[in-house]
Amino acid sequence: MRTGRKIFSSFIFILLISINSFAQEKQKITVEWIYSDEGQSITQLPNYYWLTNGKAIEYDSRVAKENRVLNIFDPESLTRKPVVDLKTAITNLKDATGDKSYEYLPVPSSISKLGDKAVFVLNGDIYILTFAAADFERVTNTSEVEKNVNFSPDGNLLAYVRNNNLFCYDIRSKKETALTADGSENILNGTLSWVYWEEVFGRNDIAYWWSNDSKSIAYLQTDESNVSTIYYSDIKPWVPRVIKQKYPKIGDPNPIVKVGVIDVVNPKTTWIDLSKNPYEYIIRVNWLPNSKELAIQTMNRYQDELNILIANAGDGEAKQILKEKDPGWVNIHDDLYFLKEGREFIWMSERTGFAHLYRYSIDGNLINQITKGEWAVASSSGSAYWVHRSVSAVDEKNGLVYFTAQEKDHKEKHLYSVKFDGSDFRRITNLDGTHKIYFSPDTKYFFDTYSNIKNPPVLNLHKCSGELIKTIAESNKDLFAKINLERPTQFTVNARDGFPLPVEIVKPANFDANKKYPLIIYLYGGPYAPQVLNNWRNSIYFDNVLIENGFLTAIVDPRSACAISKKLENLLTKNLSGNVELNDLVDAVRWFKNQNYIDSSRIGVWGWSGGGSFTLNAMTNSKEFKAGIAVAAVSDQRFYDTKFGESSMKTEKENKDGFERNSFLGTAKNLHGRLMIVHGTYDDNVHIQNAWAFIDELIKNNIM
């Protein structure tokens, strides 16, 4: 249900036909330009990977492919130099693979934390590049595909998955060891089932974890035998393939998951005994600093309780130390950090309605609340917005935690520091906007990818104090100067109860307040999914295409989505895609209709995934819109997966009325305005049955 905001011009131009028949001949930006190499590269910045020695590996994708090399960057001297001889490395790559077509160095799958080698997965096989010798070593040569390749902390071993089994490769002895042998179609070792990949680990296939001493691996074993199977028919070859996917629908059986610990020298799994604390989900596994104990987070089916248990890696015994509860659901996060060799830990909780950091002793007793106030700590970056991570670094020597939060403005992310006891709280970043922070392991330096709604991203290097050392890279100013881009304006609109709804609008440079403009509103909705943010968004390019065609564009966030507090998210408990979100949208739209410059008869709405569902809600439960486009929309929450769907809606047993009330299959007969439905037949997230079922209801009611 949650995908990034994607823009397909052919979909949106239906709105141009439906709402506005007049378009200017010239466009400042074209759809072709947006998807061109130039358009795609305009805001690209180099990637950096911090090493344990305080230096960083740089990979700059802005450089022509044939000249791309891995550089070592020294934050002390601000110098960079190649870590490998590019010409020799490419020659050796051709020899190792037997493929003479390689003309550039591919992107590594993983880099050793010591900064001496990298691993590549090429055509399903693993290769190691040793930087000093520029030499490629072939690790595997199999007909099966290897994946999830990671170095051990000491850099001497590799772990990876093949055929749903976990393997270890000793780089020094060049020996491969099978760590598990029972992997099958339904038994997964060290790799995730779809629902865990999507919902629990934020689209990262994270299912095993090296111990700090590189001697053991903790891993998840998943049994999908009882999980329902979804089928897709491919379009090729001449007789189409049938593609299968294990996908648990709301109310159906979930994958059965357990935690094992295996010694990489003597491979025998010790299973962690969680029988005293029944669970539905295992959502996180963390090694303690001593490499002898694990912290395991489990969650119940309704997701309103989370337990933290400490387990002995040797005998598998586990003891619960903390229980987290929430009246709606507990959000998953990565803010668990062990201090003082595991005798204390930092934990994030939303128990007050606002996300804050707390310090505990290892037995689960609260020492003190670290941050507090009517604002939330928040992720500044990550693979998925629904997985929270606010702590950027922990400096044990000085008793400091560095974290990002929305204390200044809920639309912004800033870096802060505070002592473990909650004293000496201060904001480190000062420029208005969003700061994505990446600290060095020694906490001396951090990279800050900074942007706001007016200015595209820049990459800065700072000292931990916040002092700017150097701007490392900027977006392409010359290209920006050529396209003459119009930027958004942000403000709030009061809902019927006075709540200030975040709103954003984009107007043309020659805006005429005496003219009537049609308006297109983009939305997403849902819990904790803000779209009106003070950061750069590349979707502004397409807004400018629409503006060139005579439209104004806007974004509206309902209160549940704006990430201010968990209290607002919980308004969607048993009421997802319902009246809370719709009422806020209607209030904002009616405000727009009262503006002299808006043509109130020509307002369109569109969204993707959650925004597609919101569009169905708006088009069937209100009469405010002339046209809409629903892309990959969930038409009934019972079509969606257990983890996300049940977090807010629970199951039919507890909330049958809520499912019926919020189903757009029941409201399809009330469709008002022109609606375009867009859906991929092989959408493994929001299945095509959502569109088919909604279209069936339209047909039943003679709506064509």
Side-chain angles (χ1 to χ4, degrees):
M1 187 174 179
R2 293 154 324 207
T3 58
R5 179 178 175 183
K6 302 174 183 177
I7 304 167
F8 280 19
S9 61
S10 57
F11 305 159
I12 299 302
F13 268 95
I14 298 298
L15 287 176
L16 302 180
I17 296 169
S18 302
I19 304 174
N20 188 9
S21 60
F22 300 100
Q24 298 179 15
E25 293 181 6
K26 277 194 171 183
Q27 296 182 12
K28 294 180 182 178
I29 298 174
T30 66
V31 173
E32 290 76 16
W33 178 88
I34 293 173
Y35 291 98
S36 68
D37 289 343
E38 181 177 277
Q40 295 285 293
S41 67
I42 193 169
T43 56
Q44 279 186 333
L45 297 172
N47 293 320
Y48 283 86
Y49 181 87
W50 285 110
L51 305 174
T52 53
N53 63 6
K55 297 180 181 180
I57 295 288
E58 174 196 65
Y59 183 83
D60 194 346
S61 58
R62 302 173 303 170
V63 177
K65 287 184 177 180
E66 61 273 16
N67 296 323
R68 289 179 193 171
V69 68
L70 297 168
N71 290 311
I72 187 79
F73 174 77
D74 186 343
E76 294 274 358
S77 63
L78 299 179
T79 58
R80 58 173 53 81
K81 61 181 180 180
V83 296
V84 65
D85 182 88
L86 182 59
K87 185 177 179 180
T88 304
I90 294 174
T91 298
N92 290 336
L93 175 61
K94 292 177 181 180
D95 292 341
T97 61
D99 185 349
K100 303 302 181 181
S101 65
Y102 281 104
E103 299 297 336
Y104 60 91
L105 196 64
V107 180
S109 297
S110 181
I111 298 174
S112 165
K113 291 182 179 179
L114 302 179
D116 60 344
K117 47 188 169 288
V119 66
F120 299 78
V121 179
L122 305 172
N123 297 318
D125 281 311
I126 300 171
Y127 299 82
I128 296 174
L129 169 63
T130 302
F131 294 155
D135 183 47
F136 271 91
E137 173 193 344
R138 185 165 194 160
V139 174
T140 63
N141 189 0
T142 65
S143 58
E144 300 86 8
V145 172
E146 280 82 26
K147 62 179 183 177
N148 302 2
V149 187
N150 285 292
F151 285 102
S152 59
D154 65 10
N156 294 322
L157 304 168
L158 281 179
Y160 47 91
V161 174
R162 179 198 305 141
N163 284 345
N164 292 332
N165 279 311
L166 192 58
F167 290 80
C168 179
Y169 180 80
D170 189 314
I171 297 171
R172 295 163 298 184
S173 66
K174 303 185 187 306
K175 178 185 176 182
E176 179 185 85
T177 302
L179 301 181
T180 66
D182 56 351
S184 66
E185 182 179 4
N186 288 317
I187 301 297
L188 316 180
N189 295 297
T191 184
L192 295 173
S193 63
W194 183 90
V195 73
Y196 268 72
W197 172 83
E198 169 74 17
E199 306 293 5
V200 179
F201 289 97
R203 298 178 181 168
N204 279 321
D205 198 358
I206 304 169
Y208 70 84
W209 300 266
W210 280 102
S211 61
N212 301 303
D213 62 8
S214 300
K215 294 180 179 179
S216 302
I217 293 177
Y219 70 99
L220 294 184
Q221 183 183 85
T222 301
D223 183 349
E224 293 198 291
S225 302
N226 295 320
V227 178
S228 56
T229 304
I230 306 298
Y231 297 90
Y232 308 89
S233 179
D234 201 355
I235 62 170
K236 58 184 180 180
W238 296 112
V239 177
R241 298 175 301 159
V242 175
I243 303 166
K244 296 193 297 183
Q245 175 197 15
K246 289 288 189 175
Y247 186 108
K249 299 285 187 180
I250 283 181
D252 286 349
N254 267 315
I256 298 172
V257 181
K258 58 183 180 179
V259 181
V261 179
I262 195 161
D263 185 298
V264 296
V265 176
N266 301 299
K268 181 182 178 181
T269 297
T270 299
W271 296 107
I272 304 301
D273 182 5
L274 301 174
S275 59
K276 296 178 182 178
N277 299 88
Y279 63 92
E280 184 74 18
Y281 299 99
I282 294 175
I283 62 169
R284 287 295 182 271
V285 176
N286 301 84
W287 282 98
L288 269 66
N290 60 17
S291 294
K292 297 179 180 179
E293 294 175 295
L294 301 161
I296 299 172
Q297 297 178 42
T298 65
M299 191 177 281
N300 63 341
R301 179 86 188 218
Y302 295 156
Q303 301 171 56
D304 55 1
E305 291 185 1
L306 178 149
N307 290 324
I308 301 179
L309 301 100
I310 300 297
N312 186 298
D315 59 20
E317 290 189 10
K319 177 184 178 182
Q320 179 183 317
I321 61 167
L322 184 67
K323 181 184 289 289
E324 194 72 49
K325 294 184 177 182
D326 190 277
W329 64 92
V330 179
N331 279 317
I332 295 175
H333 64 81
D334 286 307
D335 283 327
L336 174 61
Y337 301 88
F338 290 95
L339 313 171
K340 298 181 179 179
E341 294 300 315
R343 294 194 299 274
E344 295 181 3
F345 62 92
I346 293 172
W347 171 251
M348 189 276 278
S349 170
E350 296 179 294
R351 65 191 60 165
T352 64
F354 296 90
H356 282 296
L357 300 176
Y358 297 78
R359 182 165 61 128
Y360 283 87
S361 62
I362 193 60
D363 57 6
N365 290 321
L366 179 65
I367 299 174
N368 63 274
Q369 183 173 346
I370 299 174
T371 64
K372 60 185 65 176
E374 293 193 351
W375 50 270
V377 299
S379 304
S380 69
S381 60
S383 61
Y385 74 82
W386 55 93
V387 177
H388 303 230
R389 182 173 186 169
S390 62
V391 174
S392 299
V394 175
D395 178 359
E396 281 206 64
K397 180 180 179 181
N398 295 301
L400 283 171
V401 56
Y402 295 92
F403 63 97
T404 48
Q406 300 168 176
E407 181 264 349
K408 177 180 174 292
D409 186 327
H410 70 87
K411 298 189 298 300
E412 299 184 354
K413 305 290 190 303
H414 285 275
L415 177 65
Y416 298 79
S417 67
V418 66
K419 291 284 185 68
F420 290 167
D421 63 5
S423 64
D424 198 21
F425 173 88
R426 74 183 189 94
R427 178 157 56 91
I428 294 174
T429 51
N430 295 309
L431 297 174
D432 293 348
T434 295
H435 299 264
K436 297 181 179 180
I437 307 299
Y438 186 27
F439 258 92
S440 61
D442 57 12
T443 71
K444 289 183 178 180
Y445 304 98
F446 65 87
F447 290 116
D448 176 7
T449 303
Y450 164 71
S451 72
N452 57 39
I453 59 170
K454 304 292 185 183
N455 299 296
V458 298
L459 179 64
N460 294 320
L461 176 68
H462 295 260
K463 292 183 179 179
C464 63
S465 62
E467 178 186 341
L468 175 64
I469 300 173
K470 184 179 181 180
T471 295
I472 302 296
E474 297 180 276
S475 298
N476 196 314
K477 291 182 177 180
D478 293 337
L479 289 182
F480 272 108
K482 285 168 51 178
I483 60 177
N484 193 24
L485 199 67
E486 297 303 325
R487 269 64 158 185
T489 300
Q490 294 178 342
F491 53 99
T492 59
V493 169
N494 285 340
R496 62 195 67 182
D497 62 354
F499 184 89
L501 299 170
V503 172
E504 179 178 301
I505 192 168
V506 185
K507 299 176 182 178
N510 60 350
F511 174 74
D512 183 352
N514 295 314
K515 181 180 175 181
K516 295 285 188 181
Y517 293 88
L519 177 69
I520 296 176
I521 296 176
Y522 170 81
L523 40 76
Y524 191 82
Y528 196 92
Q531 305 299 304
V532 181
L533 295 168
N534 191 8
N535 65 5
W536 181 262
R537 55 178 179 85
N538 283 342
S539 55
I540 190 65
Y541 302 145
F542 196 71
D543 287 341
N544 274 254
V545 173
L546 296 178
I547 289 168
E548 280 294 292
N549 282 272
F551 293 82
L552 303 185
T553 65
I555 302 175
V556 175
D557 277 340
R559 66 190 70 192
S560 59
C562 59
I564 293 175
S565 77
K566 188 58 165 60
K567 296 175 184 178
L568 296 177
E569 288 181 57
N570 283 352
L571 295 173
L572 301 189
T573 303
K574 298 186 177 181
N575 195 30
L576 184 66
S577 297
N579 64 309
V580 171
E581 296 165 278
L582 181 60
N583 288 344
D584 283 349
L585 174 63
V586 167
D587 291 348
V589 170
R590 289 177 178 171
W591 180 89
F592 277 118
K593 287 185 174 182
N594 285 328
Q595 306 310 301
N596 292 333
Y597 56 86
I598 297 293
D599 184 341
S600 61
S601 67
R602 294 192 295 167
I603 295 184
V605 61
W606 83 283
W608 192 297
S609 192
S613 303
F614 205 163
T615 299
L616 294 185
N617 194 358
M619 297 294 290
T620 65
N621 287 308
S622 81
K623 297 181 178 180
E624 303 293 337
F625 301 96
K626 182 172 182 180
I629 298 176
V631 187
V634 175
S635 59
D636 189 303
Q637 292 299 325
R638 286 166 288 199
F639 290 143
Y640 206 56
D641 73 65
T642 49
K643 179 63 184 69
F644 179 78
E646 291 178 10
S647 63
S648 57
M649 292 298 286
K650 311 310 174 187
T651 66
E652 280 196 276
K653 181 180 179 181
E654 296 78 33
N655 189 29
K656 185 173 182 179
D657 177 66
F659 281 103
E660 294 291 338
R661 186 177 63 252
N662 293 356
S663 172
F664 306 125
L665 304 183
T667 61
K669 62 180 179 292
N670 301 324
L671 178 65
H672 183 270
R674 299 184 65 182
L675 173 67
M676 184 179 186
I677 298 171
V678 180
H679 214 115
T681 57
Y682 187 14
D683 187 332
D684 67 351
N685 186 1
V686 182
H687 296 148
I688 186 64
Q689 70 185 125
N690 285 274
W692 288 341
F694 187 82
I695 291 168
D696 279 348
E697 293 302 317
L698 295 180
I699 293 171
K700 288 178 186 177
N701 289 278
N702 296 315
I703 300 173
M704 302 296 185

